[in-house]
Every structure is written in structure tokens, then in C-alpha cells.
Amino acid sequence: MSEFETLVKKMLAGERTALSRLISRIEERTQELSSGFRLLYPKTGSARVWGVTGPPGSGKSTLVDGLVTRLRKKGSRVAVVAVDPSSPFSGGAILGDRVRMQKHAGDDGVFIRSLGTKGRHGGLSHSTKEVVMALDAAGFDTIVVETAGVGQTELEILTVAQTILVLLVPESGDSIQVMKAGIMEIADIFCVNKADRPESDQMVRELTQMVSSLPHDENSWMIPVLKSEAVREKGLDEVLGALEKHFEYMKKHGILEQKWAAMVKSEVVDILTEKLRQDLWTKMESKAHQASLKKLICRKIDPYALAIEISK
Ligand SMILES: Nc1nc2c(ncn2[C@@H]2O[C@H](COP(=O)(O)OP(=O)(O)OP(=O)(O)O)[C@@H](O)[C@H]2O)c(=O)[nH]1
Ligand SMILES: [Mg+2]
């Protein structure tokens, strides 16, 4: 039995340290993942997965923390995955996590972990998907994936979530940025945080206008625009209510199944892409292509020519 498989077994038996180690193996992209996923995958499918995104410093961690407290009161087991694509050491995320971890220390129903760019070849969204599956199999009822910013990597990471909550702060230009970055297309709930700031009502109005101008029919989900003051735990019950309402909406319209299908299909492509990349590097460095590789380096053949040779 591989080490990873053993970790999966222990994790399924409820060993917390096994879960932590298992996540590290996923991040490191150990070769043994397939053996463990055979055991792990059938246990997935009961967790609710939320994505929380928004500009750096908008209050995501503070808000998520408030949601965790509320969910714990309801007896729900919660995992938080803070994904930080920008930092190789997931510095910001880790710092925030420390504070949160202290708050929930000793509570077995809360698990907090940050993921950085340790994964090779931009495989962060791949690892995040697998970490979420592991947490699902480990029995967490709710998994929150928190990521800052609105770049392509972040959008990709968010495809793991069933519901996406976009947090904004009342600063000029934010709503225009939202339009640009394609966040509008993926947001299920908007929340203007730092509602203690005077411009927040204006921002709520702008967003409400934007949302109502989207094409919709009687079956569409109407994206709510909420307001919160996460630092004082204000507006969080409404945010939780909207998250629950969106879940019910998805259940009613068969959207959960669609999202699951899309997620696991992209997981398969990720697995194959990772494998292909490795195979292609191995092939290129093999003896058979050494002569052509030398020609490529001294410009006697071009990269496309070598690519065709390798693909034959
Ligand atoms: N005034 C005000 N400050 C807030 C509010 N919510 C959070 N903050 C503060 O905003 C700062 C950033 O909060 P975080 O929760 O770390 O924000 P974040 O979006 O997780 O930040 P990154 O993970 O670095 O992107 C902290 O100092 C919070 O105390 C709020 O409603 N009003
Ligand atoms: Mg944060």
C-alpha cells in the first residue's frame, strides 16, 4: 500500500493529522495520488462548497470567520481553504490563517489550511480541486475556498465552488473593475463589505443596477447585492441566508449535478494535462531527440519543427 493510500484510510477514519499530511502530498503532486483517490472519491459529494473572492484586504477572511462561527453554532463542520496564487509562500494567507487558527484552536469541527504556489506548472486550481475533494470525503459539511483578486488563476480556482460570493469594498472604480474582470459572469452573490464607509450605499445601488440589467427569466437566480460590516459581524446572517438560498435554488434546478459534472470533467483534463506534460518533457530529453534538440538551440530548426518531431 502506498503512503498516500494509508493516509487516505487514516483520514477517512477521522485522523486529523493524516488529513493535513494528505493535503501536503496533494500540493507536492506525489506520484501516488491515483491509488488514494480510488478510496477517496466514492466518499465525496456531500459538502457544500463556497468560493469567496474579492480585492486584497476587502475583508474576505474576516467575513469567512464570522460565517464559520455561525455555522459552528448550527453544528456544521467547516473547512476553510485560503488560496493565494500571488505569493510563493502564501504569506498573506498564512498570516491571516494564524489568527483564525488561534480563534478556533481545539475545535475539531474547523479545519483551516492555506495553499500557495508550491504546486508546479500553475497546477494550483488542480490541487485546490483535489484538496476540496479530500475535505469533502473527510466529512466537512461546508468548505469555503477563499482567494484574493480577479485574475485568470483565481477565476479558474473558483470553478471548484458551487456558489461564488464576491466581496467588494466601497472604493471608486471597483464596480467597473468587476465588469472588466469577468467576475460578473461568475458571481452568485455580491456583498459590499466595510459598510461603515460612507460610499457603500452608492456602491450597492450601482451593483444592483448592474445586476438587474443582466438578461434573466422567471427561472434565473436573482443575484442579491448585500451589505456587511464583517469586522463587527454585521450583515453576516443575511450573507449566510443568501448562501443557503442559492443552495436550495441549485438543488431545485438540477444545477448542483451540472456543476459537479463540470468540476470532475476538468479534474480529468487536469490529470491528463499533468501526465502529458511530464511525458513530453521526458520524451524531449530522451536520447532519440538529442540531436534535434541541439539543432533547435543553435537555430538550425525551429521550435515547431521539434514539436512535430516529438509528437510523432
Ligand atoms: N472598516 C472596516 N474594516 C474591516 C471590515 N471588515 C474587515 N475589515 C478590516 O479590513 C482588513 C482586511 O481584512 P481581511 O479579512 O484580512 O481581508 P482579506 O480580504 O481577507 O485580505 P487578503 O486575504 O489579504 O486579500 C482588516 O484590518 C479587517 O479588520 C469592515 O466591515 N469595516
Ligand atoms: Mg484573507
Side-chain angles (χ1 to χ4, degrees), residues 168-228:
L168 293 165
V169 276
E171 273 155 16
S172 57
D174 256 352
S175 52
I176 297 154
Q177 265 177 12
V178 172
M179 295 290 279
K180 267 195 203 156
I183 273 282
M184 197 74 184
E185 285 79 9
I186 61 156
D188 298 303
I189 299 163
F190 278 114
C191 182
V192 176
N193 190 40
K194 308 202 179 179
D196 44 315
R197 292 191 184 166
E199 311 87 353
S200 62
D201 284 328
Q202 168 68 16
M203 176 142 215
V204 169
R205 272 197 299 276
E206 274 176 35
L207 281 167
T208 309
Q209 215 166 38
M210 266 163 62
V211 164
S212 60
S213 69
L214 292 172
H216 56 265
D217 58 35
E218 71 275 16
N219 282 328
S220 307
W221 166 252
M222 295 305 289
I223 302 170
V225 180
L226 308 170
K227 221 166 81 164
S228 66

Side-chain angles (χ1 to χ4, degrees), residues 54-63 92-93 146 148 167 193-197 228-232:
S58 51
K60 298 177 293 296
S61 300
T62 313
L63 180 120
E146 184 191 315
L167 208 62
N193 190 40
K194 308 202 179 179
D196 44 315
R197 292 191 184 166
S228 66
E229 204 181 324
V231 80
R232 293 210 189 116

Side-chain angles (χ1 to χ4, degrees), residues 30-278:
T30 165
Q31 299 290 324
E32 302 170 347
L33 293 177
S34 65
S35 60
F37 267 81
R38 197 166 36 84
L39 302 174
L40 187 159
Y41 188 68
K43 308 283 182 198
T44 60
S46 18
R48 295 186 188 189
V49 188
W50 302 337
V52 177
T53 191
S58 51
K60 298 177 293 296
S61 300
T62 313
L63 180 120
V64 168
D65 199 40
L67 296 179
V68 170
T69 307
R70 278 162 177 73
L71 289 166
R72 289 302 295 140
K73 276 188 191 142
K74 294 180 177 208
S76 188
R77 299 182 71 223
V78 200
V80 181
V81 187
V83 193
D84 191 352
S86 58
S87 153
F89 312 106
S90 48
I94 282 176
L95 208 69
D97 287 354
R98 287 233 178 92
V99 179
R100 286 198 283 195
M101 278 174 200
Q102 274 162 14
K103 197 165 165 185
H104 301 286
D107 182 352
D108 259 1
V110 180
F111 184 89
I112 297 164
R113 176 72 178 235
S114 58
L115 302 177
T117 42
K118 261 187 269 168
R120 287 165 290 166
H121 305 310
L124 195 53
S125 94
H126 185 191
S127 296
T128 307
K129 260 190 294 239
E130 295 186 344
V131 168
V132 168
M133 281 194 249
L135 292 165
D136 185 352
F140 288 96
D141 304 299
T142 309
I143 301 162
V144 188
V145 178
E146 184 191 315
T147 181
V150 283
Q152 193 51 47
T153 321
E154 293 83 354
L155 291 181
E156 230 176 275
I157 289 164
L158 289 169
T159 57
V160 72
Q162 298 160 336
T163 301
I164 295 171
L165 168 67
V166 176
L167 208 62
L168 293 165
V169 276
E171 273 155 16
S172 57
D174 256 352
S175 52
I176 297 154
Q177 265 177 12
V178 172
M179 295 290 279
K180 267 195 203 156
I183 273 282
M184 197 74 184
E185 285 79 9
I186 61 156
D188 298 303
I189 299 163
F190 278 114
C191 182
V192 176
N193 190 40
K194 308 202 179 179
D196 44 315
R197 292 191 184 166
E199 311 87 353
S200 62
D201 284 328
Q202 168 68 16
M203 176 142 215
V204 169
R205 272 197 299 276
E206 274 176 35
L207 281 167
T208 309
Q209 215 166 38
M210 266 163 62
V211 164
S212 60
S213 69
L214 292 172
H216 56 265
D217 58 35
E218 71 275 16
N219 282 328
S220 307
W221 166 252
M222 295 305 289
I223 302 170
V225 180
L226 308 170
K227 221 166 81 164
S228 66
E229 204 181 324
V231 80
R232 293 210 189 116
E233 301 208 27
K234 278 193 195 165
L236 301 191
D237 291 332
E238 286 76 5
V239 172
L240 197 57
L243 287 160
E244 276 163 5
K245 211 169 144 199
H246 186 246
F247 179 79
E248 294 306 325
Y249 169 82
M250 288 189 293
K251 215 160 75 176
K252 189 175 160 203
H253 290 86
I255 297 168
L256 285 168
E257 290 76 16
Q258 288 170 22
K259 293 209 168 169
W260 180 258
M263 195 278 286
V264 287
K265 271 155 70 179
S266 84
E267 164 69 4
V268 173
V269 172
D270 281 349
I271 293 168
L272 290 171
T273 309
E274 188 176 27
K275 170 99 177 53
L276 266 173
R277 269 195 102 93
Q278 280 166 5

Side-chain angles (χ1 to χ4, degrees), residues 4-48:
F4 188 72
E5 209 174 339
T6 311
L7 285 176
V8 171
K9 281 201 172 144
K10 287 185 178 170
M11 180 272 279
L12 292 174
E15 259 187 53
R16 211 179 163 85
T17 50
L19 175 62
S20 292
R21 285 172 58 201
L22 186 149
I23 291 174
S24 301
R25 298 293 98 80
I26 292 175
E27 277 196 288
E28 292 155 8
R29 311 303 311 152
T30 165
Q31 299 290 324
E32 302 170 347
L33 293 177
S34 65
S35 60
F37 267 81
R38 197 166 36 84
L39 302 174
L40 187 159
Y41 188 68
K43 308 283 182 198
T44 60
S46 18
R48 295 186 188 189

